[in-house]
Amino acid sequence: MNIGGRAYRTIWVGDDTQSVEIIDQTRLPHEVAVARLTSLEDTARAILTMQVRGAPLIGAAAAYGLCLALRRDASDAALDAAITLLARQRPTAVNLRWALSQVADAVRPLAPQARAAAAYRIAAEICDADVAANRAIGEHGGRLIRDIAARKGAGARVNVLTHCNAGWLATVDRGTALAPVYEAHDGGIAVHVWVDETRPRNQGAALTAFELGAHGVPHTIIVDNAGGHLMQQGLVDLCVVGADRVTGSGDVANKIGTYLKALAAADNSIPFYVACPHSTIDWALSAGSAIPIEERGAEEILTIRGRTGEGAVVSIAIAAPGSPARNDAFDVTPARLVTALITERGVCAASRDGLTALYPDRPQSDP
Ligand code: MRU
């Protein structure tokens, strides 16, 4: 996607053909800064501190983390240690574990001296496949938006509500939940996005609004609690969110607050779609209650980061000194509240039958 007329992915291999470069998402929207990762430890830190974030991008970054680890030491022991380190940085997004398995399964049978080069090839394939999947998600989801536009009639805009950031910044490119929006917008549909600010880290206000603005998509930031009210007012035509993990029976873990939006959508008979590539499906789990939920530091709730009038980016305290805070980063939306899943293979019911119909051949290497 474009920022200021320049095409970017969120992650790429540097000119030295070994280091890995990322858009540092902790600096957005105030600055577009590129960070260079040269080691396994750099990569683990980038995932934990959310310089890279969003389930598919976490997976891609982890794959490159293994490449950097194998350059230094390609033994089985080093491979296992790198997988353990990377996997524990963000426990909810299953794409992380999926990408690690893709690389590990491919390199383990090889002689150590061949492993690093093979890992770079697999990581690049993961990235390209992510972009292709998101393009297909955009086409399938774009048709849903187009249908609503046709029902509303000429001149009416389609209002989409989204939560967190499941746009191109959360993936290698194009995004999952926002891919249908880009597809519809680029195809001439009048589309407008309600952007949940997404406390505590404000991925909506900082990232989703940034990327929609860079692409020229009309949007409005709202506080996280406004969605239900806007739905009651008839101002939301559909919700589209991403996912960090979808169980084999269609329960969806996504950014904290997603569940409340799904409840409000159900109460107002508004379709609630979840966009996800196959790498987000955890076939081994059935019940959403079994999904591990990441708990992050209380400081994310007790402080807020922003730019002062003078241009300095600062973090300030917003709570009564000494008050504790609890920071569950994700929640689970039960399948019954999900109108449908939008995958790269098409749109399906959020159920084991729905998923199995689209993925009868699910790769054996999927976890
Ligand atoms: O904590 P984050 O910012 O990594 O959470 C991101 C989300 O919850 C996204 O909605 C999800 O990863 C889908 S990304 C296409």
Side-chain angles (χ1 to χ4, degrees):
M1 302 294 279
N2 287 307
I3 305 176
R6 180 173 161 198
Y8 282 92
R9 282 186 171 189
T10 52
I11 189 164
W12 61 93
V13 175
D15 288 342
D16 62 5
T17 71
Q18 297 187 330
S19 63
V20 177
E21 295 185 345
I22 56 169
I23 295 178
D24 182 349
Q25 300 195 24
T26 61
R27 311 276 283 274
L28 290 171
H30 309 298
E31 188 189 0
V32 178
V34 172
R36 173 169 299 188
L37 313 176
T38 59
S39 67
L40 166 67
E41 292 74 18
D42 280 356
T43 313
R45 199 176 319 108
I47 293 171
L48 181 69
T49 62
M50 295 173 61
Q51 287 180 297
V52 285
R53 39 131 323 265
L57 178 56
I58 291 169
Y64 278 118
L66 282 191
C67 300
L68 293 167
L70 290 168
R71 270 186 59 216
R72 190 169 62 196
D73 181 348
S75 67
D76 281 357
L79 177 61
D80 290 340
I83 290 170
T84 304
L85 176 71
L86 290 164
R88 70 166 182 253
Q89 301 305 317
R90 302 284 317 263
T92 303
V94 77
N95 307 61
L96 172 49
R97 210 176 68 191
W98 173 85
L100 293 172
S101 306
Q102 298 294 303
V103 177
D105 291 352
V107 303
R108 229 182 263 285
L110 305 178
Q113 59 275 19
R115 286 179 171 176
Y120 277 98
R121 275 197 303 278
I122 304 295
E125 281 170 24
I126 287 173
C127 290
D128 290 345
D130 181 60
V131 179
N134 296 337
R135 196 164 285 283
I137 286 171
E139 283 163 14
H140 298 305
R143 278 195 281 278
L144 299 171
I145 295 178
R146 197 173 284 276
D147 289 349
I148 293 173
R151 274 205 302 280
K152 289 188 84 169
R157 72 179 189 180
V158 178
N159 288 298
V160 179
L161 185 143
T162 195
H163 190 66
C164 195
N165 172 260
W168 73 270
L169 287 164
T171 64
V172 177
D173 202 353
R174 206 72 192 167
T176 57
L178 293 189
V181 169
Y182 290 129
E183 186 74 20
H185 173 84
D186 293 350
I189 303 286
V191 64
H192 163 265
V193 183
W194 298 111
V195 178
D196 284 355
E197 63 177 346
T198 318
R199 279 286 287 153
R201 291 187 65 106
N202 291 320
Q203 289 95 328
L207 304 177
T208 298
F210 170 82
E211 62 164 89
L212 289 173
H215 199 78
V217 179
H219 62 279
T220 308
I221 299 169
I222 54 174
V223 296
D224 288 334
N225 297 329
H229 168 69
L230 295 178
M231 292 182 206
Q232 286 177 325
Q233 300 288 309
L235 294 172
V236 178
D237 295 301
L238 73 163
C239 301
V240 189
V241 301
D244 286 80
R245 192 182 299 222
V246 176
T247 69
S249 53
D251 292 342
V252 173
N254 192 49
K255 181 54 55 189
I256 192 81
T258 301
Y259 171 49
L260 290 177
K261 294 299 138 59
L263 282 173
D267 193 45
N268 289 280
S269 305
I270 290 166
F272 188 90
Y273 292 106
V274 175
C276 61
H278 70 94
S279 52
T280 304
I281 303 166
D282 186 347
W283 296 98
L285 289 189
S286 206
S289 55
I291 297 174
I293 299 295
E294 175 182 5
E295 193 172 338
R296 295 185 62 87
E299 73 286 352
E300 291 185 350
I301 291 178
L302 301 173
T303 60
I304 200 157
R305 223 172 118 75
R307 189 170 54 184
T308 66
E310 290 71 46
V313 176
V314 297
S315 182
I316 56 166
I318 59 166
S323 288
R326 172 176 165 142
N327 189 5
D328 297 82
F330 299 95
D331 61 23
V332 176
T333 299
R336 67 173 186 281
L337 296 177
V338 177
T339 305
L341 303 172
I342 308 170
T343 79
E344 75 275 23
R345 296 237 180 133
V347 177
C348 74
S351 65
R352 191 162 286 277
D353 285 351
L355 280 167
T356 307
L358 281 190
Y359 296 97
D361 56 336
R362 72 179 164 94
Q364 291 312 305
S365 59
D366 272 6

